[in-house]
Amino acid sequence: MKMMKYLANLIAGVCLIFNLILVSSQPLFVDCGSKGGKDEYGRTWVEDAKYLTSSKNSEQAGAQHHNPLLPSTLPYMNARIFKSQATYKFPKKAKERYFLRFHFYPSTFGNYDVSKSYFAVAAGEIPLMNNFSAAITCRALTQAYLVREYSLAPSDCDSLEITFTPSTNYSDTFAFVNGIELVVMPNLLGTAPMVGYRSWSVLDVATENLQTMYRVNVGGQFIPPNKDAGGLSRTWYIDDTYLNGAVQGLSIQSDKTIKIDYGNMSTATAPEDVYSTARVMGKFGKVNLQTNLTWVFRVDPNITYLVRLHFCELQFDKLNNRMFNIYLNNHSAIADPYPADILAWTNQKDVATYKDFALDLNDESGHEQIRVDLNPSAIHNPRYYNVLLNGLEIFKVSEGRSLASPNPELSDMMIQEDQVAMNKPKTFSKSSDNIVVVGATGGAAAAFVVVALLAFFYTKKRKVHRVGPHTSSWLPVYGNSNVGGSRSNSAHLSALAQGLSRHFSIAEIKQATNNFDESNVIGVGGFGKVYKGVINGGTKVAIKRSNPSSEQGINEFQTEIEMLSKLRHKHLVSLIGFCEDGGEMCLVYDYMALGTFREHIYNNKKSNLSWKKRLEICIGAARGLHYLHTGAQYTIIHRDVKTTNILLDEKWVAKVSDFGLSKTGPDMNQGHVSTVVKGSFGYLDPEYFRRQQLTEKSDVYSFGVVLFEALCARPALNPSLPKEQVSLADWALSCHKKGTLDDIIDPHLKDKIDPECLKKFAGTAVKCLSDQGIDRPHMGDVLWNLEFALQLQETADSSGSSGDQGSVRSRDASVRNPRESGNLSVGSEHELNESKDDSVIFSQLVNPTGR
Ligand SMILES: *[C@@H]1O[C@H](CO)[C@@H](O)[C@H](O)[C@H]1NC(C)=O
Ligand SMILES: *[C@@H]1O[C@H](CO)[C@@H](O)[C@H](O)[C@H]1NC(C)=O
Ligand SMILES: *[C@@H]1O[C@H](CO)[C@@H](O)[C@H](O)[C@H]1NC(C)=O
Ligand SMILES: *[C@@H]1O[C@H](CO)[C@@H](O)[C@H](O)[C@H]1NC(C)=O
Ligand SMILES: *[C@@H]1O[C@H](CO)[C@@H](O)[C@H](O)[C@H]1NC(C)=O
Ligand SMILES: *[C@@H]1O[C@H](CO)[C@@H](O)[C@H](O)[C@H]1NC(C)=O
């Protein structure tokens, strides 16, 4: 059974002596169907023809359509097409483990519509894919392209045969591939204890074939292949999307000057960036004790997984400071009575390590997720009640079985909707190429994910609707906005299905808005008017209608769709659907019940927002912007950050909106985006004027203005004031310098802001307004500082009040301070020590001077 050491099903028999020249350990990047060249990451790809065992049964073809979301032209824009079974034979070293990666870009290549392509792929005898449809898989993931990664166990062969077999179940089908990578993988695998067995047993992973399911830099940033450790070209995604539940903890980062010590571990295990960032729980131990920090990953059922957790203690240098329990699918991996203490493994702070676990889903009938729970352990009376995780990888373990998984299933509703979309008159279509529609890359969604479980829809053929003569293709959006906020747990699937972007007819839109009745207008943007509307007999929506005569409007419309389709985050506004019909283009969003941030601070003041609420809204917006800057494949610059583009839902959750001016960038080569000046006066980066350059620091500047608006309750520009006061940015900076900031604070907030909190907040805002972009903090630092400011405020608030039992709140940064002056008896020693010590640690980590 599983407890036994499985011997891998090695590539048997077919191992021919093929190549006697010395095979180098250099990575091999094969550009299938083309001549090769350098990709955007600077990696060199080579022509594939010489690796084909026969020149007969394949063709090469170029993609008809360039999806702007591709990270690189190479290897995606060309494909090798196989009408019948064909084999690549690559030289490799015997006895070495290899990463094998496939790149798929579902498009139309020559006359081949990839939506008709179903095929099997095997590496030697190991089945990797079966009846595989790259189009369906990408669609379900809303990815423009797909990378599948496998790790092949060492074998005696000095060649690797990769066989593509078009599915026999379809008459007119074919196989295709855009790129193949073969990278020697150092010896990073050993044995992993099986979790959930009463008797201790281990799985020997070193002899197994694996498929990568997830690879996450917990609490950190997206790491592209060229920044990976050891030249292994792995991609590390952010963890936000997988966090589950109300408690999201804090992301922390070690001081840049600290070098991570890898001890006796290979430096290729994971990049330093993985170990120098982490997610921890909030400051308040008593609350932490009652909660879990939880990540949920969807996987295929009935197979074993290797879960690797990366750790590096960044805050404490002594044993018994942070002890915690680790559970996988509710089984103890490391837990009481022997909880994890990272220092016990590494002896020192800033030393990297990892722990492997094997989790067998065969025993958990039908389980289709891996849930990682961390919670503090109290039994050894540690100094703090907290947890920490730096990185996580999940691999499917073959154990002699096929690694293939089925394609996503189609839901009736989705198919119907799709057909409706196909039969509609194509008002804006200038071209009628048939092409597979690819959604877009969800920056956070790991491209490896097996999506068999997601119920998404798909049709074999779709039209590309072109918008205007100058713009690239029109990308319908099948992603949905809920994903970022509501996590990938199974309970969410139905919501996901319901929330899918849909096509609206113009009749529906007119009905929803009472024929665009002026009384329903709730805003006007560069793009056109925004109407309030009601669909499905009750759901409130906001509908943006493009000004049909404006080419600019069309461009912004498209940018907005492209942005929102690739971005999903709790703090970004969500798109429900769109309409392009009867000469109209409309975008349909979630209705933000509480309107704009601005109207709650000064314009037609609807409410007297408390300081804490304002802080929380600023934090939410900062989180959304931080995600834009770092969470996606590209840096995305919003370009129009202002208080009217921060919307509030009915629960006061801040959502950044209006992506019409957004740009992806900075350009890989230039480090900036150069454009005509746009955006809003009063918020514009001075550097932008001087150099016509736009970086993500331009958003940081605008956000600094937003922070002062929140504090001072006045517009960014007020021409009716004396000259030196017209610009809020200038005025606030000068007051801060003179030490008179108190005088310009919103009178409603007088004496309600904790002085320490104010200092932190104002200091952060001032930093954001630095004249030079380079002096401004990154959005991540801003977020940090604001979270810290909020904690200072909460600490101050709760030390004044009594009776607060420290209920858990659902705000991201964590939890309310349970400490209260009158109640020292209930384990509060911890909290008392904790607040003090933590402040020191936090202020060191936070690095308010920016980088
Ligand atoms: C697909 O083809 C395989 C092999 O030709 C066959 O065994 C299988 O029954 C077919 N499946 C369907 C659904 O037609
Ligand atoms: C690394 O060192 C630790 C003790 O210092 C030891 O337990 C562990 O087995 C070593 N690991 C390897 C891969 O050598
Ligand atoms: C924390 O996780 C463990 C293991 O999955 C679970 O048994 C427990 O109920 C969780 N606690 C909370 C508060 O979610
Ligand atoms: C997790 O385990 C605990 C105790 O072992 C049990 O009470 C609880 O019901 C389990 N939760 C789930 C979701 O299986
Ligand atoms: C997984 O195993 C369970 C229980 O043995 C079974 O009911 C289910 O059909 C299996 N699922 C798949 C996809 O094989
Ligand atoms: C192949 O995949 C398609 C799409 O998911 C599915 O409809 C079909 O049943 C599958 N065929 C086989 C033989 O598994």
Side-chain angles (χ1 to χ4, degrees):
M1 284 190 351
K2 309 106 200 165
M3 340 218 160
M4 295 196 310
K5 254 174 84 169
Y6 281 89
L7 274 177
N9 189 10
L10 295 182
I11 312 171
V14 289
C15 180
L16 308 168
I17 300 301
F18 153 69
N19 201 334
L20 288 177
I21 29 169
L22 259 178
V23 179
S24 84
S25 300
Q26 289 299 312
L28 180 61
F29 300 115
V30 183
D31 183 13
C32 300
S34 189
K35 297 270 170 245
K38 270 205 160 58
D39 70 9
E40 300 282 333
Y41 297 121
R43 302 180 300 179
T44 302
W45 295 72
V46 299
E47 190 177 356
D48 67 330
K50 69 173 171 178
Y51 298 111
L52 281 168
T53 54
S54 157
S55 56
K56 290 218 182 75
N57 48 0
S58 80
E59 289 175 36
Q60 50 194 80
Q64 287 189 2
H65 165 72
H66 182 235
N67 186 313
L69 303 171
L70 289 173
S72 164
T73 308
L74 268 164
Y76 300 104
M77 288 304 287
N78 288 288
R80 176 68 61 179
I81 310 277
F82 306 104
K83 292 287 285 173
S84 58
Q85 190 175 77
T87 302
Y88 281 112
K89 192 171 199 176
F90 299 111
K92 76 169 183 65
K93 285 186 157 179
K95 314 238 185 285
E96 293 274 15
R97 179 173 278 276
Y98 277 85
F99 273 128
L100 171 65
R101 298 191 187 95
F102 296 96
H103 295 258
F104 299 105
Y105 169 43
S107 181
T108 297
F109 293 94
N111 296 321
Y112 294 97
D113 173 355
V114 155
S115 66
K116 293 197 179 117
S117 155
Y118 289 85
F119 56 97
V121 182
E125 299 278 278
I126 311 158
L128 304 179
M129 299 170 215
N130 191 22
N131 188 38
F132 171 69
S133 164
I136 296 178
T137 309
C138 275
R139 175 79 158 275
L141 287 170
T142 61
Q143 298 258 344
Y145 65 100
L146 186 75
V147 185
R148 279 275 168 103
E149 183 185 278
Y150 300 89
S151 170
L152 302 180
S155 77
D156 292 332
C157 292
D158 59 3
S159 69
L160 176 64
E161 294 196 348
I162 307 287
T163 306
F164 289 84
T165 313
S167 207
T168 47
N169 297 76
Y170 298 89
S171 54
D172 197 18
T173 196
F174 60 94
F176 83 103
V177 63
N178 300 98
I180 299 176
E181 295 178 39
L182 204 53
V183 181
V184 176
M185 180 183 170
N187 190 13
L188 300 177
L189 298 168
T191 57
M194 302 284 310
V195 167
Y197 286 86
R198 239 165 274 133
S199 59
W200 195 80
S201 56
V202 297
L203 178 70
D204 185 1
V205 191
T207 56
E208 287 291 351
N209 298 304
L210 312 175
Q211 180 185 348
T212 310
M213 305 293 287
Y214 296 93
R215 178 172 288 126
V216 196
N217 180 11
V218 175
Q221 306 199 345
F222 172 80
I223 302 174
N226 57 330
K227 299 276 172 60
D228 189 29
L232 297 187
S233 271
R234 292 165 299 191
T235 305
W236 298 76
Y237 294 85
I238 63 169
D239 72 322
D240 282 43
T241 4
Y242 307 109
L243 275 168
N244 186 67
V247 180
Q248 305 209 328
L250 297 167
S251 44
I252 63 167
Q253 179 166 17
S254 70
D255 194 313
K256 285 277 177 220
T257 57
I258 287 173
K259 193 121 183 64
I260 299 299
D261 181 353
Y262 281 72
N264 58 3
M265 192 174 92
S266 165
T267 52
T269 307
E272 269 201 59
D273 268 0
V274 170
Y275 292 114
S276 65
T277 57
R279 191 172 293 279
V280 299
M281 282 182 160
K283 284 175 61 177
F284 304 111
K286 196 164 129 192
V287 178
N288 293 348
L289 267 184
Q290 297 155 20
T291 49
N292 289 358
L293 199 49
T294 306
W295 294 261
V296 174
F297 302 88
R298 302 198 56 77
V299 293
D300 289 333
N302 297 357
I303 193 156
T304 302
Y305 291 89
L306 168 68
V307 178
R308 170 167 292 188
L309 304 178
H310 296 270
F311 298 102
C312 181
E313 177 57 70
L314 302 172
Q315 293 178 305
F316 306 125
D317 52 12
K318 291 205 182 61
L319 276 170
N320 216 38
N321 271 324
R322 185 201 310 270
M323 303 185 82
F324 56 98
N325 298 313
I326 304 168
Y327 302 95
L328 298 179
N329 281 5
N330 209 18
H331 302 297
S332 301
I334 300 186
D336 295 338
Y338 306 109
D341 184 339
I342 299 167
L343 263 291
W345 304 331
T346 62
N347 293 319
Q348 285 175 61
K349 184 171 163 281
D350 305 316
V351 178
T353 189
Y354 64 82
K355 291 285 164 196
D356 282 344
F357 306 98
L359 185 64
D360 186 351
L361 295 194
N362 283 296
D363 297 346
E364 320 196 352
S365 45
H367 240 88
E368 297 185 354
Q369 63 178 38
I370 292 180
R371 174 189 167 110
V372 180
D373 278 296
L374 302 186
N375 78 1
S377 160
I379 61 167
H380 298 292
N381 212 11
R383 185 131 174 238
Y384 305 103
Y385 296 147
N386 213 317
V387 305
L388 178 141
L389 184 64
N390 303 73
L392 177 148
E393 293 171 274
I394 296 179
F395 304 90
K396 192 193 261 189
V397 184
S398 145
E399 295 188 300
R401 289 198 266 163
S402 167
L403 288 167
S405 51
N407 292 315
E409 298 232 336
L410 320 181
S411 101
D412 293 344
M413 179 196 84
M414 294 163 177
I415 295 169
Q416 257 171 25
E417 229 172 57
D418 217 38
Q419 280 164 351
V420 170
M422 264 170 54
N423 298 335
K424 266 187 329 150
K426 298 183 296 294
T427 326
F428 290 94
S429 297
K430 290 258 157 66
S431 139
S432 57
D433 339 5
N434 295 339
I435 194 166
V436 169
V437 162
V438 290
T441 57
F448 315 113
V449 187
V450 171
V451 284
L453 325 143
L454 295 174
F456 278 88
F457 73 120
Y458 170 75
T459 56
K460 289 197 189 146
K461 190 201 284 180
R462 284 189 54 87
K463 312 281 189 231
V464 166
H465 306 279
R466 293 197 184 277
V467 182
H470 306 304
T471 49
S472 56
S473 79
W474 157 251
L475 295 172
V477 186
Y478 296 98
N480 129 304
S481 37
N482 296 330
V483 176
S486 18
R487 313 310 166 198
S488 41
N489 54 1
S490 59
H492 184 57
L493 266 186
S494 54
L496 197 73
Q498 286 156 14
L500 279 167
S501 272
R502 45 179 279 214
H503 299 255
F504 290 90
S505 68
I506 189 63
E508 283 175 283
I509 298 285
K510 282 184 172 160
Q511 192 187 11
T513 57
N514 199 5
N515 204 10
F516 296 112
D517 192 285
E518 286 297 308
S519 67
N520 284 328
V521 174
I522 49 174
V524 182
F527 172 87
K529 286 182 178 165
V530 185
Y531 297 79
K532 188 167 69 179
V534 176
I535 56 165
N536 299 344
T539 311
K540 280 192 185 167
V541 293
I543 297 173
K544 253 192 201 180
R545 180 195 198 186
S546 90
N547 180 347
S549 62
S550 145
E551 173 78 12
Q552 185 55 49
I554 292 170
N555 284 335
E556 289 184 16
F557 183 84
Q558 204 191 1
T559 308
E560 178 111 5
I561 293 227
E562 284 182 12
M563 291 295 159
L564 283 176
S565 59
K566 82 178 137 174
L567 302 170
R568 289 84 184 289
H569 196 269
K570 182 176 175 184
H571 295 291
L572 301 182
V573 83
S574 343
L575 192 65
I576 294 173
F578 54 90
C579 162
E580 50 131 2
D581 190 6
E584 292 279 356
M585 289 193 295
C586 297
L587 296 179
V588 183
Y589 304 85
D590 268 353
Y591 181 67
M592 291 291 125
L594 294 176
T596 68
F597 187 21
R598 177 174 301 174
E599 62 200 289
H600 292 280
I601 17 185
Y602 49 93
N603 254 9
N604 338 305
K605 199 156 180 169
K606 287 181 173 167
S607 53
N608 196 358
L609 265 191
S610 73
W611 173 239
K612 232 176 79 184
K613 269 255 148 57
R614 293 187 206 192
L615 257 178
E616 285 172 354
I617 291 165
C618 291
I619 288 171
R623 215 175 258 282
L625 289 171
H626 179 50
Y627 173 75
L628 284 185
H629 292 174
T630 63
Q633 196 103 24
Y634 306 90
T635 299
I636 292 164
I637 305 168
H638 185 282
R639 300 215 302 168
D640 201 10
V641 176
K642 53 183 175 182
T643 42
T644 45
N645 281 340
I646 297 172
L647 304 182
L648 301 169
D649 75 4
E650 72 287 355
K651 296 195 181 105
W652 296 97
V653 175
K655 316 240 177 194
V656 176
S657 81
D658 209 342
F659 297 83
L661 296 181
S662 301
K663 290 267 183 216
T664 52
D667 186 281
M668 292 271 185
N669 307 314
Q670 293 173 292
H672 67 270
V673 179
S674 156
T675 59
V676 279
V677 172
K678 278 191 177 179
S680 303
F681 288 100
Y683 293 92
L684 277 177
D685 177 359
E687 210 163 47
Y688 193 4
F689 282 120
R690 285 197 300 268
R691 300 172 36 201
Q692 299 283 296
Q693 279 184 4
L694 185 71
T695 68
E696 72 269 28
K697 295 296 186 67
S698 309
D699 285 347
V700 173
Y701 183 91
S702 309
F703 191 70
V705 179
V706 167
L707 294 180
F708 275 122
E709 270 184 273
L711 183 66
C712 307
R714 57 150 282 189
L717 280 185
N718 185 349
S720 66
L721 290 171
K723 188 161 164 273
E724 73 276 12
Q725 301 186 20
V726 168
S727 153
L728 173 60
D730 294 347
W731 181 232
L733 282 179
S734 100
C735 291
H736 184 261
K737 210 164 165 187
K738 286 185 293 192
T740 58
L741 197 59
D742 278 351
D743 301 342
I744 66 166
I745 290 178
D746 184 354
H748 292 104
L749 299 176
K750 276 264 151 42
D751 306 323
K752 303 231 171 80
I753 310 180
D754 171 63
E756 286 302 310
C757 170
L758 176 60
K759 200 165 137 199
K760 181 103 253 165
F761 183 89
T764 308
V766 164
K767 275 279 165 210
C768 291
L769 294 181
S770 300
D771 194 49
Q772 309 271 337
I774 193 159
D775 298 327
R776 293 174 210 147
H778 288 279
M779 215 55 223
D781 294 334
V782 175
L783 179 59
W784 252 100
N785 280 281
L786 293 178
E787 281 172 344
F788 189 61
L790 178 62
Q791 293 192 341
L792 290 170
Q793 185 66 40
E794 290 184 330
T795 309
D797 288 352
S798 64
S799 60
S801 69
S802 61
D804 174 359
Q805 287 301 320
S807 58
V808 181
R809 296 164 58 253
S810 61
R811 191 173 55 68
D812 294 350
S814 70
V815 286
R816 190 189 300 260
N817 184 358
R819 179 157 61 94
E820 33 177 318
S821 38
N823 180 10
L824 289 179
S825 52
V826 213
S828 40
E829 227 175 278
H830 271 290
E831 283 99 34
L832 286 176
N833 288 335
E834 189 158 331
S835 308
K836 219 192 300 121
D837 290 36
D838 264 5
S839 321
V840 178
I841 292 151
F842 274 69
S843 53
Q844 282 164 355
L845 279 166
V846 168
N847 183 18
T849 54
R851 278 171 277 144

